[in-house]
Amino acid sequence: MRTELFEPDVTTGELELEERHSLRRVAGLSTELTDITEVEYRQLRLERVVLVGVWTEGSAADADNSLTELAALAETAGSQVLEGLIQRRSRPDAATFIGRGKVDELRDVVVATGADTVICDGELSPSQLRNLEQQTKVKVVDRTALILDIFAQHAKSREGKAQVELAQLQYLLPRLRGWGESLSRQSGGSGRGGGAGGGVGLRGPGETKLETDRRRINHRIAKLRREIKSMRTVRQTKRSRRSQAGVPAVAIAGYTNAGKSSLLNRLTQAGVLVENALFATLDPTTRRAAAEDGRVYTLSDTVGFVRHLPHQIVEAFRSTLEEVSYADLVVHVVDGADPDPEGQVVAVREVLSEVGADRIPELLVVNKVDAADEEALLRLKRIWPDAVFVSARTGVGIEDLRAAIAHRLPRPAVDLRVVLPYDRGDLVALIHRHGQVLGTEHTEAGTELRVRVDERLAAELATYRA
């Protein structure tokens, strides 16, 4: 008897989602690594957490939205959020991020809730990290480390894993002294430096170990950069082939969890992973699509963006993000059900400008209209009158989106009238793929076409001009 291993309609994305859910972290089990030389970076132990934010500018709603997003990030990483605190300050405290009085309050909350981790809504300096850990007596993680941890969990491809590891090592390198007493590299042993805590100048084997780790990390960073550079060359080669073939490129960009992968699946039946979580997919996916008039173009999904996306991520993923800068059109997806869609748009455009993609034509697409409030949608329609409103889940507005993309695709520049012999069906197919057919008539001499094509194809058709 034959046993079916998979249902015929199961997609790759569904299989990845099932695997991801089967590997969720178990509460109470640590994922820390005590020796950096084993894998060159530390994985975070995120289980029962308390969130802390500093409100320095903007409205109270902005501060609440930022902390809410931090909670979603923590839950995506596998944590249980117990409590959230916001401190109103003109700027973060240089020593403890939140100030001495708030640290005492934070310590009381940690004890009362039984939390084992504090997550700060910002990037902490090594000294802030060390001071907070010493005073709260639990592990302290900042927003950057949290996002890097999520990226490490979700990266699947060789390029994605290399990019994430590079970002983690760049973040870790200046913080080798700041991971807390349990991971200190300063502990002297017997002999030089004397004492378990090290000497006055922290001499001895502990310091030697720290310098060894630094050299290992710098060597690994250099190796990863070489690997990513070689992968970038492969990506550029594929891109140049598509460009030479005259295939327009459309890049889907947007805030994390705005529904980019769902939209790609709806437009191309790509079957990529879809999950209601932040940064669910990191590896870019490119699929072929066709407009109603027959023109072929490519649709590429990209990594999602977020407010204050760590600069290490932008730098490490630059080769991937540059796919957007080489596109002919950016489909900018916005979550219409989010409390602050305008803030999402600002955050995405900031990252696009960093990679030189801010000059690419943009089509704004407001997704999740089936879950959004009607009044909020009316307000967004007033703010963005040229945007397309869709639901990737239900299919509402998808045909309007297809038409909008086709309307904005670059059109071939040369108009011709050609008569192709009936045995040159290959040229007819080539015109349909890479050009635009304006009219067709069948004559005794062959197929007479009025076409609009690029210069390269026009030169190939020159001998058949009517």
Side-chain angles (χ1 to χ4, degrees):
M1 183 178 72
R2 189 167 67 98
T3 302
E4 292 290 338
L5 296 180
F6 302 109
E7 292 295 330
D9 58 347
V10 173
T11 65
T12 304
E14 290 171 335
L15 294 175
E16 287 184 15
L17 183 61
E18 182 179 345
E19 177 186 6
R20 180 174 296 178
H21 285 170
S22 69
L23 294 176
R24 288 297 186 196
R25 294 175 176 175
V26 179
L29 295 183
S30 170
T31 57
E32 287 188 10
L33 294 164
T34 57
D35 190 349
I36 191 175
T37 60
E38 293 179 10
V39 292
E40 305 288 2
Y41 61 84
R42 187 191 74 147
Q43 293 183 348
L44 302 177
R45 179 177 183 247
L46 297 173
E47 295 164 0
R48 295 166 57 82
V49 303
V50 173
L51 310 179
V52 179
V54 174
W55 171 19
T56 58
E57 59 184 5
S59 64
D62 293 333
D64 290 340
N65 288 338
S66 183
L67 205 65
T68 300
E69 182 175 89
L70 186 68
L73 287 167
E75 290 170 356
T76 299
S79 309
Q80 178 186 1
V81 178
L82 304 176
E83 187 65 78
L85 305 175
I86 295 180
Q87 168 76 327
R88 183 71 167 102
R89 296 179 62 91
S90 58
R91 62 180 180 273
D93 182 71
T96 61
F97 184 68
I98 55 176
R100 184 174 303 174
K102 202 68 173 179
V103 170
D104 295 336
E105 180 182 342
L106 175 60
R107 175 58 185 163
D108 293 340
V109 171
V110 167
V111 172
T113 58
D116 54 35
T117 304
V118 170
I119 304 179
C120 296
D121 193 13
E123 184 167 332
L124 301 181
S125 67
S127 62
Q128 288 173 327
L129 192 64
R130 182 173 59 250
N131 292 336
L132 277 175
E133 286 187 337
Q134 289 174 346
Q135 296 183 47
T136 60
K137 306 301 181 185
V138 295
K139 189 61 61 185
V140 177
V141 174
D142 63 13
R143 182 187 181 94
T144 299
L146 176 62
I147 292 176
L148 291 175
D149 183 70
I150 296 171
F151 271 58
Q153 292 182 54
H154 292 179
K156 293 293 183 184
S157 69
R158 177 169 169 261
E159 183 177 13
K161 290 178 179 178
Q163 289 168 326
V164 170
E165 185 178 356
L166 175 60
Q168 287 181 311
L169 293 179
Q170 289 174 327
Y171 171 82
L172 175 61
L173 187 59
R175 292 171 173 81
L176 285 181
R177 296 173 183 262
W179 283 114
E181 296 175 356
S182 63
L183 292 176
S184 174
R185 297 295 168 202
Q186 305 296 319
S187 57
S190 59
R192 295 176 300 161
V200 173
L202 298 174
R203 302 178 299 272
E207 185 66 21
T208 302
K209 183 66 167 65
L210 182 64
E211 293 305 320
T212 300
D213 287 339
R214 282 205 180 110
R215 284 194 297 272
R216 285 175 178 270
I217 290 176
N218 281 320
H219 177 74
R220 182 62 178 163
I221 286 175
K223 183 178 180 182
L224 286 169
R225 282 177 171 162
R226 289 194 299 270
E227 290 179 0
I228 292 173
K229 185 177 180 180
S230 66
M231 297 175 196
R232 181 181 183 182
T233 302
V234 173
R235 187 182 296 277
Q236 288 175 336
T237 302
K238 292 180 179 178
R239 188 190 304 127
S240 64
R241 287 175 181 170
R242 292 196 298 263
S243 178
Q244 290 174 2
V247 179
V250 178
I252 302 177
Y255 212 76
T256 179
N257 205 31
K260 300 182 299 300
S261 297
S262 299
L263 206 59
L264 180 67
N265 287 344
R266 175 66 70 169
L267 291 171
T268 66
Q269 288 76 49
V272 298
L273 181 144
V274 173
E275 183 180 12
N276 185 23
L278 305 187
F279 301 114
T281 52
L282 301 182
D283 302 317
T285 302
T286 300
R287 292 291 186 268
R288 177 182 178 277
E292 285 189 359
D293 57 10
R295 284 178 297 160
V296 174
Y297 60 95
T298 61
L299 266 174
S300 298
D301 190 11
T302 59
V303 62
F305 304 145
V306 72
R307 293 176 183 86
H308 314 301
L309 190 67
H311 68 275
Q312 295 94 341
I313 286 291
V314 176
E315 185 61 32
F317 277 75
R318 183 168 294 275
S319 62
T320 301
L321 294 173
E322 281 179 350
E323 283 289 316
V324 184
S325 64
Y326 287 99
D328 297 293
L329 174 68
V330 174
V331 174
H332 182 168
V333 184
V334 186
D335 183 354
D338 188 82
D340 184 24
E342 297 99 319
Q344 286 192 0
V345 170
V346 171
V348 170
R349 286 174 175 168
E350 285 179 356
V351 179
L352 291 178
S353 66
E354 286 190 49
V355 296
D358 51 331
R359 298 182 180 179
I360 307 298
E362 177 190 75
L363 172 60
L364 207 59
V365 179
V366 179
N367 190 24
K368 302 184 183 180
V369 296
D370 56 310
D373 181 71
E374 190 64 33
E375 292 185 5
L377 290 178
L378 290 174
R379 180 176 60 84
L380 294 179
K381 288 177 180 178
R382 288 195 299 269
I383 298 174
W384 302 317
D386 296 329
V388 181
F389 289 74
V390 305
S391 169
R393 187 178 70 85
T394 65
V396 171
I398 293 299
E399 292 307 315
D400 293 337
L401 175 58
R402 293 183 196 272
I405 292 175
H407 179 70
R408 288 166 173 78
L409 287 177
R411 294 183 179 275
V414 181
D415 288 342
L416 293 176
R417 184 184 295 273
V418 296
V419 178
L420 300 177
Y422 287 117
D423 60 353
R424 293 308 308 267
D426 57 320
L427 289 179
V428 176
L430 195 64
I431 293 171
H432 278 284
R433 280 201 306 272
H434 304 304
Q436 185 177 8
V437 177
L438 304 177
T440 303
E441 185 178 348
H442 297 287
T443 66
E444 293 183 1
T447 304
E448 182 175 331
L449 300 173
R450 287 188 301 109
V451 299
R452 184 174 291 136
V453 295
D454 59 24
E455 294 181 358
R456 182 186 61 81
L457 188 51
E460 191 171 347
L461 297 171
T463 57
Y464 301 101
R465 296 187 65 166

